[in-house]
Amino acid sequence: MKYGRTYNFSAGPSMLPEPVLEEVAAEVLNYHGSGMSVMEMSHRSSVFQTIADEAEADLRELMNIPSNYKVLFIQGGATLQFAMLPLNLLKNGVADYIVTGAWSKKAYSEAKKYGKINLLATSEDKNYSYIPDCSDLAVSPDADYVYICENETIHGTTYQKLPNTKGKILVSDQSSMFLSRPCNVSDYGLIYAGVQKNVGPAGMIVAIIREDLIREDIDARIPIYLRYDTHANNGSMYNTPNCWCIYVCGKVFKYLKSIGGLEAMNQRNIEKAKVLYDFLDNSKMFSGTVVKQDRSLMNVPFVTASKELDAEVVAATKAAGYDNLKGHKSVGGLRASIYNAMPKDGVEALVDFLTKFEAEHK
Ligand SMILES: *Cc1c(COP(=O)(O)O)cnc(C)c1O
């Protein structure tokens, strides 16, 4: 790795592509002859408007977003969406949630403040180590939407097949898998993603929302910032947006286009994750915690036979320059987050290290 950078396996904020960081560094004192950095620039300037317009256009191209969907850049992180969603989308006051891990559970708890929220399915019985069969669920006839977290960052599961919502609108939290593979946007009513996992710096979400779901007839007491129509009617600039974040995300979108788009990214991610999963499947010391068919390509939790040994491995990896491998406390053990920007070299180096560790601790 150049510049003394480390292979950073953090679940988020996480690695960004090196060419993007280099461009940002080169532009930080004077962006394209404007005489200032993007951090210092008015969001009402034509220079910044171009940055924002290009970011949206590039994202639309990458994901092939249909014209009846709006792309919104909203601050507050994915956590704010847990409330913003039900506040805007509940019409009958009913929604169905599928709870497959820590993040969908939080979204479910938050939504409960605002309506009749049903637990449609859950994998809590086995500590969220799998995705339930969602082909024929008892979807509420009056549900305004069905909610999923498509990739559970902490528990390491991902949907291979979207739930059968029986015609109801599907809402998906894609935070930890956004732009990691092709996505058919028209399968969803609303997709949102906190960008700090796979796309950019922390502090913003991207929402992709079908226009007919942007309603004006919602409770007038809902704060103006928390209305999708506020953002949709003002090009995501009702107030000062997270200019820096939009700028860096825009660079990442261009980078993804330059390597061949989401199809190419997906291939890289499949190959990269295979290196780690093959190792785990053959190891006598380490094992993955998720059933094979539901494994995430982005977040890979794994354990040894004991907490003490887990801690020893975490300390040894850190000392060797592989950062942030400690698992979340709800799963324990270790977790390697191998998002888009983690090079295959990084995963191979980690696997070499773990292989040696195992050989030395027989
Ligand atoms: C990280 C994460 C969140 C929370 O994101 P914040 O931006 O910290 O609010 C929500 N959902 C998923 C799937 C995540 O990975």
Side-chain angles (χ1 to χ4, degrees):
M1 291 275 283
K2 283 193 270 181
Y3 312 112
R5 286 167 55 74
T6 182
Y7 291 123
N8 173 10
F9 293 90
S10 167
S14 38
M15 291 180 82
L16 287 168
E18 215 163 76
V20 166
L21 295 174
E22 284 170 334
E23 271 181 41
V24 167
E27 292 171 352
V28 80
L29 287 167
N30 187 345
Y31 177 81
H32 291 201
S34 64
M36 59 188 83
S37 75
V38 176
M39 281 181 267
E40 303 163 295
M41 197 177 276
S42 165
H43 59 295
R44 306 289 178 205
S45 65
S46 64
V47 184
F48 185 74
Q49 189 64 55
T50 303
I51 291 173
D53 291 346
E54 280 187 22
E56 175 172 344
D58 287 332
L59 180 64
R60 284 187 174 275
E61 191 181 325
L62 272 174
M63 293 184 76
N64 205 2
I65 300 174
S67 59
N68 62 326
Y69 284 74
K70 289 272 191 211
V71 171
L72 309 176
F73 301 117
I74 305 174
Q75 302 186 61
T79 299
L80 190 58
Q81 293 305 305
F82 297 166
M84 189 164 169
L85 262 169
L87 283 170
N88 283 267
L89 262 49
L90 289 177
K91 202 171 186 177
N92 301 328
V94 179
D96 289 353
Y97 276 60
I98 302 177
V99 174
T100 51
W103 291 115
S104 44
K105 191 174 183 182
K106 279 194 170 158
Y108 168 66
S109 306
E110 186 76 350
K112 275 181 158 180
K113 296 176 186 169
Y114 305 110
K116 183 176 176 305
I117 308 298
N118 305 304
L119 183 61
L120 186 58
T122 176
S123 53
E124 191 169 13
D125 59 334
K126 292 184 182 153
N127 196 26
Y128 304 116
S129 58
Y130 68 101
I131 299 287
D133 178 358
C134 298
S135 57
D136 186 22
L137 297 170
V139 177
S140 308
D142 51 352
D144 290 313
Y145 61 91
V146 173
Y147 182 95
I148 61 169
C149 173
E150 205 163 333
N151 185 85
E152 283 283 359
T153 321
I154 291 173
H155 291 88
T157 55
T158 205
Y159 284 79
Q160 303 304 337
K161 196 167 178 287
L162 293 175
N164 174 2
T165 63
K166 315 222 163 136
K168 301 298 178 194
I169 288 154
L170 181 64
V171 172
S172 177
D173 175 357
Q174 288 196 349
S175 296
S176 48
M177 61 173 293
F178 193 54
L179 301 181
S180 68
R181 65 184 192 200
C183 167
N184 185 25
V185 174
S186 48
D187 289 341
Y188 306 80
L190 169 54
I191 295 167
Y192 73 93
V195 296
Q196 77 273 25
K197 308 294 164 67
N198 226 354
V199 189
M204 192 181 84
I205 61 117
V206 175
I208 301 167
I209 180 169
R210 217 173 64 199
E211 274 168 355
D212 61 293
L213 301 176
I214 302 173
R215 288 171 41 216
E216 315 219 318
D217 60 332
I218 57 174
D219 190 329
R221 290 170 302 178
I222 295 172
I224 189 133
Y225 196 84
L226 299 188
R227 302 177 56 114
Y228 290 120
D229 62 340
T230 300
H231 301 278
N233 295 337
N234 293 282
S236 299
M237 291 199 215
Y238 171 76
N239 70 335
T240 318
N242 189 335
C243 300
W244 180 255
C245 193
I246 293 172
Y247 160 70
V248 179
C249 288
K251 291 236 178 264
V252 173
F253 301 156
K254 284 197 196 299
Y255 169 78
L256 287 170
K257 277 172 59 181
S258 78
I259 64 159
L262 301 188
E263 207 56 80
M265 194 66 248
N266 189 35
Q267 274 314 312
R268 289 188 187 194
N269 286 329
I270 290 170
E271 285 168 28
K272 208 164 67 186
K274 186 175 184 316
V275 174
L276 185 49
Y277 282 123
D278 282 352
F279 165 74
L280 294 173
D281 289 342
N282 291 306
S283 165
K284 295 203 165 52
M285 179 180 279
F286 300 101
S287 52
T289 58
V290 172
V291 300
K292 273 191 188 171
Q293 67 269 23
D294 300 327
R295 286 167 163 178
S296 167
L297 295 187
M298 300 282 105
N299 309 99
V300 184
F302 57 101
V303 293
T304 69
S306 78
K307 282 198 169 62
E308 293 70 31
L309 189 54
D310 286 344
E312 209 183 309
V313 185
V314 171
T317 51
K318 187 157 177 63
Y322 307 106
D323 230 336
N324 290 308
L325 279 156
K326 190 174 177 352
H328 191 272
K329 57 184 183 301
S330 57
V331 181
L334 294 93
R335 171 177 49 163
S337 293
I338 50 174
Y339 296 119
N340 283 357
M342 170 61 71
K344 191 178 177 195
D345 291 352
V347 179
E348 284 170 345
L350 175 66
V351 164
D352 282 348
F353 181 84
L354 294 174
T355 305
K356 284 202 194 88
F357 185 94
E358 182 169 349
E360 285 162 11
H361 290 75
K362 267 202 183 123

